[in-house]
Amino acid sequence: MYSIEALNLSHHFTKGERVLDDISLRVKEGSIFGFLGPNGAGKTTTLRLILGLLRKQQGDIRLFGKPFEQHRAAALRQIGSLIESPSLYGQLNAAENLLVWQKVYQCPKKRIAEVLDLVGLSNTGAKKAGQFSLGMKQRLAIAVALLHEPSLLILDEPTNGLDPGGIVEMRTLLKILNQEYGITILISSHLLSEIEKLVTEVGIINHGKMVFQGSLDELMERQQQVASLIFEVNRVEQALQMLADQHPTAVIVQGKLKLPALSNEDTAAITRRLVTEGIDVYGITRGDNDLETIFMNITNN
Amino acid sequence: MTTSFIHSFQSEWLKTRRSLAAWLVILGGFFIPLIMLTARLLYPDRLPGDSAASDFWEAFFSKCWQMMALFLLPMGVVLATTLLAQLEFRNNTWKQLHTTPQYLTTIFFSKLAVILLMLLQFLILFNLGIIVAGFLPHAVYGVAYPQEAFPFEFFLTKSAWFFVDCLPIVALQYLISLQFKNFMIPLGAGIGLMVASLIALEWEYGYFIPYTYCPYNFFELRKVAGMGPQSVNVHFWALGYFVLFTLLSYVLYITKKEKG
């Protein structure tokens, strides 16, 4: 079963360029779905459409298997969200901010203390939310999203403005929420490295189009296709000529010899051959083998 | 729907805690009575005359309303309504509010109800302030209390008309504040209309301007001849404008393409 099914969504703000062009997105129940794309790719617009914050122009949105428009209130009762910057009332303290939403959701009052504890804000007392650091505001916004025990969390760049420690903390918290509480999470980010350790499935959007959707393993497979091996040698031109027959795609990049990714055995064989022919090998490194590069490759094409 | 309206209203009321609008209501409510109290405490020799007057309360009420009706109340309503309606823009919370399982109608009317309740709160505080400013100096200096029995009905009806006369200001400010993120737009429009209404007070069709009704009600209270429209019930006009602006505001709010 899918928690979110957004099918063939298209959207434009003015008569000009489409912000979203036939986007389809499926988020499986119980998964952590990473929604990736560079700034301005259309991530926030997609999430705002899913949450009903923007009027849908084209396409179909189903949440928990039911059409969103006909079951808006029931669907929203099961969703916790954090879209872009935290939504907090600056003149109220953390508990009062949560009380505002507790009245609406009519969840038990004890949830306020529970979620404050969960995000590590139990001791903020009378301090007003407006005086919080960005990290604290972000955590309070997560507490708001979790207050009514939603089964789906939609988080738009929740690590924005957090320091490295805060990012790790946020990741740990989201893992706990997914694994221990079974909450489905849709998290957007423009940095793959930030969420690659967290997500089980990935969707990549660029210029309003979905350019990849699948499991993290599938993304890793793509990585293998573009990965390379770089040899740092003393006579690079001679080395290129020597390997041209067996490896015609080899090229010289920044004074180094670049070949497609090879097995360990092949790497050892090439090294032996170079050394036998009197070429000194200073170093061998794997290039373009990180997820960030594949992300860049996908979004740049 | 009713239950969710109550919950929504409670939530909206909580948001006003420590807000600028809440302080404005409290300080605004006591501002004029405090000045009157100070004046009466500074000139105790006038108290015996007040005690003897047969219409002390009506005269004192009217004196307190002078600045309030002409300028402070319309200005306060413009400010408080704008501040309350803009609370979500200022805190970037529309997107959070619009992703709660509430009908948009519930959100719209619970916000409006909070503003109206705060207006009522202001009038209660203002009247309480007048009563305290009327009695306290007599108690402090041991001078006899005003001989005139306290005219509850007079206070109640006159204040109720002021409430009604403020409604079009509330509705129009609410409408503008919900549509524009920039705080200066509703504030500028409110101040502009207020100034226009002050200029138009002597105009025979001044009652067309929805911000003129508080001053007109005051002229009626003071029985100022030649001021205010003849044979026109401004309170009905106020109610009419309120219904019209509220409906328009509701339609614009419901049909807004972007909700946060």
Side-chain angles (χ1 to χ4, degrees):
Chain A
M1 165 141 173
Y2 292 106
S3 294
I4 300 174
E5 286 173 280
L7 305 171
N8 311 110
L9 289 183
S10 291
H11 196 85
H12 58 84
F13 285 111
T14 52
K15 284 180 181 173
E17 195 189 350
R18 281 186 169 190
V19 184
L20 293 183
D21 189 3
D22 206 22
I23 288 269
S24 289
L25 185 87
R26 285 187 181 86
V27 179
K28 279 183 203 152
E29 193 181 324
S31 67
I32 304 183
F33 188 98
F35 191 34
L36 291 158
N39 289 329
K43 299 185 297 291
T44 303
T45 306
T46 309
L47 299 184
R48 287 169 77 202
L49 276 168
I50 290 172
L51 287 165
L53 292 172
L54 279 179
R55 197 187 298 164
K56 192 185 71 183
Q57 293 169 347
Q58 209 179 309
D60 204 17
I61 298 168
R62 294 175 75 84
L63 297 180
F64 311 106
K66 290 177 181 167
F68 176 66
E69 279 160 334
Q70 286 81 28
H71 300 85
R72 180 183 168 275
L76 290 176
R77 188 163 286 283
Q78 295 183 65
I79 299 175
S81 65
L82 194 177
I83 300 294
E84 292 179 311
S85 50
S87 296
L88 305 168
Y89 298 97
Q91 84 280 10
L92 303 180
N93 63 36
E96 287 168 340
N97 262 286
L98 290 163
L99 193 59
V100 164
W101 304 112
Q102 184 271 334
K103 295 281 179 201
V104 173
Y105 287 105
Q106 285 298 295
C107 52
K109 264 193 179 173
K110 64 174 184 170
R111 281 292 297 158
I112 292 174
E114 285 173 9
V115 289
L116 279 176
D117 194 40
L118 192 66
V119 298
L121 290 176
S122 299
N123 302 317
T124 50
K127 189 174 180 177
K128 313 230 179 0
Q131 298 165 334
F132 282 9
S133 68
L134 185 57
M136 287 166 82
K137 283 180 182 171
Q138 208 78 322
R139 280 188 280 158
L140 182 54
I142 295 275
V144 170
L146 292 171
L147 182 71
H148 54 292
E149 299 182 85
S151 58
L152 169 66
L153 262 186
I154 296 179
L155 308 172
D156 185 20
E157 312 234 4
T159 50
N160 260 2
L162 293 185
D163 57 23
I167 293 172
V168 173
E169 269 180 40
M170 178 75 77
R171 225 163 19 212
T172 311
L173 173 66
L174 295 179
K175 266 189 181 166
I176 291 170
L177 292 172
N178 178 254
Q179 288 164 7
E180 293 182 19
Y181 297 89
I183 298 175
T184 308
I185 299 172
L186 167 58
I187 180 171
S188 84
S189 177
H190 60 276
L191 297 171
L192 176 60
S193 56
E194 234 174 49
I195 57 169
E196 65 178 286
K197 290 172 190 157
L198 181 72
V199 299
T200 49
E201 289 190 57
V202 181
I204 298 177
I205 183 174
N206 194 32
H207 297 304
K209 291 186 178 184
M210 207 68 167
V211 288
F212 176 84
Q213 183 166 353
S215 67
L216 204 57
D217 291 339
E218 287 173 67
L219 191 63
M220 299 287 262
E221 269 176 37
R222 278 218 190 183
Q223 166 200 335
Q224 285 304 315
Q225 292 165 14
V226 295
S228 61
L229 201 63
I230 294 161
F231 285 83
E232 202 176 339
V233 296
N234 61 341
R235 285 177 283 153
V236 69
E237 295 284 352
Q238 194 185 336
L240 180 69
Q241 278 178 7
M242 202 183 81
L243 298 174
D245 54 335
Q246 280 182 317
H247 301 282
T249 54
V251 286
I252 297 171
V253 177
Q254 293 175 335
K256 293 172 187 172
L257 190 62
K258 186 178 174 185
L259 290 96
L262 299 167
S263 65
N264 288 343
E265 291 75 21
D266 287 342
T267 307
I270 288 176
T271 313
R272 264 198 308 274
R273 196 173 158 197
L274 289 169
V275 173
T276 311
E277 293 292 330
I279 295 170
D280 295 336
V281 178
Y282 302 138
I284 305 166
T285 50
R286 287 192 183 277
D288 303 338
N289 63 341
D290 58 311
L291 281 172
E292 209 63 56
T293 310
I294 181 85
F295 172 59
M296 292 303 290
N297 285 337
I298 289 174
T299 54
N300 285 336
N301 289 332
Chain B
M1 182 82 177
T2 315
T3 319
S4 62
F5 175 80
I6 292 165
H7 298 145
S8 181
F9 178 82
Q10 287 175 331
S11 167
E12 292 298 331
W13 186 255
L14 257 170
K15 292 176 196 174
T16 66
R17 198 181 279 185
R18 287 192 291 276
S19 68
L20 206 57
W23 284 113
L24 196 70
V25 165
I26 296 167
L27 296 176
F30 288 124
F31 181 63
I32 296 280
L34 203 66
I35 292 173
M36 301 307 278
L37 176 69
T38 311
R40 299 189 78 219
L41 285 171
L42 287 175
Y43 299 98
D45 49 315
R46 295 176 187 172
L47 295 179
D50 289 344
S51 304
S54 60
D55 62 346
F56 166 74
W57 285 110
E58 286 83 352
F60 190 53
F61 182 83
S62 155
K63 206 183 275 183
C64 288
W65 268 107
Q66 189 168 340
M67 274 309 286
M68 188 55 88
L70 291 175
F71 180 73
L72 291 179
L73 181 61
M75 186 65 202
V77 172
V78 165
L79 264 176
T81 308
T82 306
L83 283 168
L84 281 173
Q86 286 256 317
L87 202 73
E88 311 294 349
F89 278 126
R90 224 173 31 254
N91 290 299
N92 199 14
T93 40
W94 274 123
K95 56 187 192 300
Q96 200 70 40
L97 184 61
H98 284 146
T99 49
T100 54
Q102 299 184 89
Y103 293 108
L104 295 176
T105 306
T106 310
I107 296 173
F108 178 87
F109 284 105
S110 56
K111 277 190 175 296
L112 182 60
V114 164
I115 296 171
L116 294 177
L117 186 66
M118 287 187 90
L119 176 60
L120 194 67
Q121 190 186 14
F122 163 82
L123 289 170
I124 292 169
L125 292 178
F126 184 61
N127 277 291
L128 279 175
I130 294 174
I131 294 167
V132 171
F135 279 120
L136 195 65
H138 295 264
V140 170
Y141 292 108
V143 180
Y145 289 116
Q147 62 162 12
E148 184 200 3
F150 183 76
F152 277 108
E153 203 186 320
F154 174 83
F155 269 58
L156 206 65
T157 51
K158 295 298 174 191
S159 299
W161 285 131
F162 275 116
F163 179 82
V164 170
D165 295 337
C166 284
L167 292 179
I169 308 179
V170 169
L172 190 56
Q173 288 303 132
Y174 189 54
L175 183 156
I176 304 170
S177 303
L178 289 181
Q179 294 303 316
F180 297 98
K181 190 175 182 177
N182 188 341
F183 179 76
M184 291 312 289
I185 295 173
L187 190 65
I191 293 172
L193 276 163
M194 239 186 70
V195 172
S197 72
L198 287 175
I199 295 167
L201 281 179
E202 286 185 78
W203 180 40
E204 58 182 318
Y205 298 112
Y207 61 91
F208 282 177
I209 300 174
Y211 289 43
T212 52
Y213 307 133
C214 282
Y216 282 150
N217 192 34
F218 173 72
F219 295 144
E220 197 186 308
L221 178 73
R222 269 283 176 91
K223 296 182 176 61
V224 181
M227 292 296 277
Q230 305 304 311
S231 66
V232 170
N233 189 326
V234 292
H235 309 309
F236 287 147
W237 273 81
L239 281 171
Y241 266 130
F242 174 66
V243 173
L244 178 75
F245 292 149
T246 304
L247 282 175
L248 189 62
S249 177
Y250 174 70
V251 171
L252 289 174
Y253 172 72
I254 291 284
T255 53
K256 215 173 172 188
K257 281 182 187 167
E258 288 189 42
K259 294 195 163 60

